[in-house]
C-alpha cells in the first residue's frame, strides 16, 4: 500500500505524460486512492448521530468531488497558446455606465441580495476571532460599516435589501453573538456556513480527522475557500427563498474590502431590459505594479474566465505579471444571477480550478487542503462580462499597512462608506510598507502611533525596525524610515517629513 501511495504522490508531483504501459496501473492507483477515501468518509459519518448526518453527507459529497478532480488533474489547467485576445465589449468601462433615475432605484434594489464572504479569521493581523470584527475606523468594525451602508440604502430608497453573511466554522459562533446588536435596525441579516472539509495527510492521501467533532480537533478541518459559496448558498435554502421573493441578482464581495459598496450603476446595467442579461459580472480594475499577482480576465475557449497565477505555467509567470499584457485584475466584487446559480449547482456544472494549499500542522504533520475561488466560476455561467471600475472600489485591508491608510485623513466616513478626501491631488492611494517584525499585529501597530499621521500628500512610505510616531506627524512625498537592529527611532510630535530618509541614529537625509 505504501508503495502505491508513493506512486500517486510522485505522479501528482510530476504531472508528466507516462507511457501507455503504466497508464492502466496509474488509473488503478487513482481508483484505489478514491476508494480508500470513500471508506474513510463513511467511517467518519458513522461517528455522527443520525439526525446530523444529512448535512455532513452533502458536504462530504462536495469534498469527494473535489478530491477526485484533484486526482485527475494533469498539470496547469490553461494551455498558454490557447489564450485569446479579449473581445470587444468583454470589459465595459465603468465611466460609460448610466446612472439610474431616483424613481427607478427602489424597484432595482428590491431585486438585490448583498453577500459578504465572512469566513476568515483575523489571525494574520494578530487578532482573535472573525476578521470582520476588527475595528477599522472610529471604533467601527468591518461588519459595522457594512451594516451601516445597507441600512442607509434601505432608509434612503425605502427598500429592504437583505445582508447575507457566509461564515465558516471558525467565524460562525462569534459572528452570531455580534449580529444581535443590529436587531433594532432596518435590515434583515441572514447567515449560512460554508462547508467544512477534512484536511488530507500528504503522505497517505487519507483524511486527518478521527471523528466529526470539529471543534475538538479544529486543526484537522478547513473551510474550502470562497468558491464553495454556490453549493453552500444553495444547500442553505436561502437561494431558493430569495428567488421566490422575486430577487434576481446577488452582489458578492470580501468583508474586508471597504470599497465594495452596492453600486447602482452596475445594478442598473444588469437589470436593463434592453440588454441581453449577463449572468455573471466581475469587477476588475487597472493593474499597478503592486497588483501583479492578482487574478486577471482572459478569453479562453470562447468564454471569459479568471486566470490566477497558480494556473500559469512557470515559463509564462513573467508574462502574467506584465502590466501591459494583462491590464486588469479581479477585485473579487462579483454579481451573479440567482436562478443561474441554482442552475449550475443543480446541473453539477461548477468545475472551478482546484487550488492545492500545502500546510503543516502544529505536530509537524504535512497536509493538503483543496480549495476553489468564487470568481473562477465565471466560465460556468452564460454571458459573463467584466466592468473596469475605479480603484476606489478595491480597498482591501489585508495588513496593518492597509489599516494605516483607511484610518488616516485620506478618507472620511459617510454612512459606512469611505470617501477619498477631495484634498488628495490624485486618486491613487500611497504605497505603504510597514516592517513585519514591529507592525504586523494590530495591537502593536496601534501602540506605535500616538495619532495616525497626515497622509494627504504621501506617495510612498517604508518603515522598518523599532520606530514610533508622535502626535500630529505629517508625511509627504517619499518617506523611508529604517531603524537598524538595536536602534530605535522616535519621530517627534508635529514633525513634517517630506521626501526624507531617516536612518539608524535618526539622521534625516533629503531624498
Amino acid at each position: 500500500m505504501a508503495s502505491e501511495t508513493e506512486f500517486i504522490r510522485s505522479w501528482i508531483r510530476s504531472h508528466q505524460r507516462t507511457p501507455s504501459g503504466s497508464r492502466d496501473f496509474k488509473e488503478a492507483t487513482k481508483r484505489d486512492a478514491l476508494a480508500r477515501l470513500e471508506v474513510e468518509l463513511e467511517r467518519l459519518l458513522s461517528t455522527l448521530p443520525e439526525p446530523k448526518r444529512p448535512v455532513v453527507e452533502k458536504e462530504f459529497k462536495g469534498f469527494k468531488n473535489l478530491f477526485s478532480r484533484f486526482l485527475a488533474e494533469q498539470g496547469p489547467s490553461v494551455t498558454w497558446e490557447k489564450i485569446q485576445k479579449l473581445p470587444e465589449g468583454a470589459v465595459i468601462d465603468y465611466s460609460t455606465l448610466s446612472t439610474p433615475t431616483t424613481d427607478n432605484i427602489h424597484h432595482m434594489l428590491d431585486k438585490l441580495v448583498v453577500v459578504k464572504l465572512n469566513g476568515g479569521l483575523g489571525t494574520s493581523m494578530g487578532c482573535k476571532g472573525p476578521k470582520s470584527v476588527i475595528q477599522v475606523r472610529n471604533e467601527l468594525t468591518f461588519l459595522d460599516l457594512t451594516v451601516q451602508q445597507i441600512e442607509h440604502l434601505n432608509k434612503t430608497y425605502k427598500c429592504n435589501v437583505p445582508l447575507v453573511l457566509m461564515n465558516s466554522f471558525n467565524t460562525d459562533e462569534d459572528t452570531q453573538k455580534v449580529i444581535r446588536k443590529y436587531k433594532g435596525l432596518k435590515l434583515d441579516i441572514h447567515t449560512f456556513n460554508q462547508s467544512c472539509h477534512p484536511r488530507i495527510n500528504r503522505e497517505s492521501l487519507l483524511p486527518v480527522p478521527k471523528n466529526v467533532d470539529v471543534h475538538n480537533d479544529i486543526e484537522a478541518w478547513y473551510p474550502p475557500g470562497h468558491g464553495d459559496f454556490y453549493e453552500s448558498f444553495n444547500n442553505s435554502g436561502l437561494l431558493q427563498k430569495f428567488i421566490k421573493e422575486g430577487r434576481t441578482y446577488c452582489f458578492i464581495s470580501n468583508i474586508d474590502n471597504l470599497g465594495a459598496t452596492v453600486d447602482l450603476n452596475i445594478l442598473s446595467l444588469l437589470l436593463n431590459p434592453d440588454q441581453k442579461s449577463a449572468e455573471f459580472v466581475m469587477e476588475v480594475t487597472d493593474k499597478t505594479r503592486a497588483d501583479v499577482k492578482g487574478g486577471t480576465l482572459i478569453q479562453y475557449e470562447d468564454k471569459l474566465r479568471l486566470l490566477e497565477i497558480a494556473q500559469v505555467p512557470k515559463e509564462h509567470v513573467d508574462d502574467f505579471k506584465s502590466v501591459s499584457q494583462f491590464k486588469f485584475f479581479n477585485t473579487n466584487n462579483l454579481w451573479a444571477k440567482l436562478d443561474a446559480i441554482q442552475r449550475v449547482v443543480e446541473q453539477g456544472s461548477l468545475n472551478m480550478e482546484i487550488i492545492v494549499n500545502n500546510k503543516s500542522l502544529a505536530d509537524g504533520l504535512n497536509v493538503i487542503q483543496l480549495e476553489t475561488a468564487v470568481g473562477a466560476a465565471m466560465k460556468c455561467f452564460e454571458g459573463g462580462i467584466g466592468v473596469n471600475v475605479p480603484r476606489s472600489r478595491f480597498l482591501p485591508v489585508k495588513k496593518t499597512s492597509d489599516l494605516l491608510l483607511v484610518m488616516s485623513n485620506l478618507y472620511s466616513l459617510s454612512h459606512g462608506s469611505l470617501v477619498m478626501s477631495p484634498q488628495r491631488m490624485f486618486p491613487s492611494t500611497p504605497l505603504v510598507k510597514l516592517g513585519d517584525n514591529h507592525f504586523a499585529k494590530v495591537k502593536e501597530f496601534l501602540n506605535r502611533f500616538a495619532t495616525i499621521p497626515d497622509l494627504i500628500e504621501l506617495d510612498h512610505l517604508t518603515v522598518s525596525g523599532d520606530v514610533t510616531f508622535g502626535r500630529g506627524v505629517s508625511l509627504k512625498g517619499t518617506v523611508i524610515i529604517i531603524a537598524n537592529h538595536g536602534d530605535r527611532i522616535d519621530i517627534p510630535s508635529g514633525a513634517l517629513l517630506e521626501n526624507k530618509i531617516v536612518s539608524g541614529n535618526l539622521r534625516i537625509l533629503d531624498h
Side-chain angles (χ1 to χ4, degrees), residues 238-254:
L238 285 170
L239 176 60
Q240 297 77 358
K241 167 188 154 63
F242 293 133
I243 290 173
K244 215 174 266 178
E245 288 174 7
R247 299 185 186 275
T248 47
Y249 277 93
C250 62
F251 170 50
I252 310 155
S253 62
N254 296 351

Side-chain angles (χ1 to χ4, degrees), residues 226 251-254 256-261 263 266 282-288 290-295 328-334 387-398 402 405-406 411 418 420 427-430:
H226 42 52
F251 170 50
I252 310 155
S253 62
N254 296 351
D256 66 5
N257 179 6
L258 294 173
T261 56
D263 188 280
I266 296 176
M282 178 179 287
E283 292 185 36
V284 295
T285 193
D286 291 346
K287 232 186 206 188
T288 67
D291 315 303
V292 290
K293 291 183 177 174
F328 313 118
F329 76 96
N330 168 30
T331 63
N332 223 36
N333 300 347
L334 308 165
V387 176
N388 185 13
V389 297
R391 184 75 185 204
S392 56
R393 290 194 55 72
F394 183 67
L395 198 56
V397 180
K398 302 290 181 197
D402 304 317
L405 296 175
V406 301
Y411 298 98
L418 289 180
M420 175 78 82
S428 61
T429 50

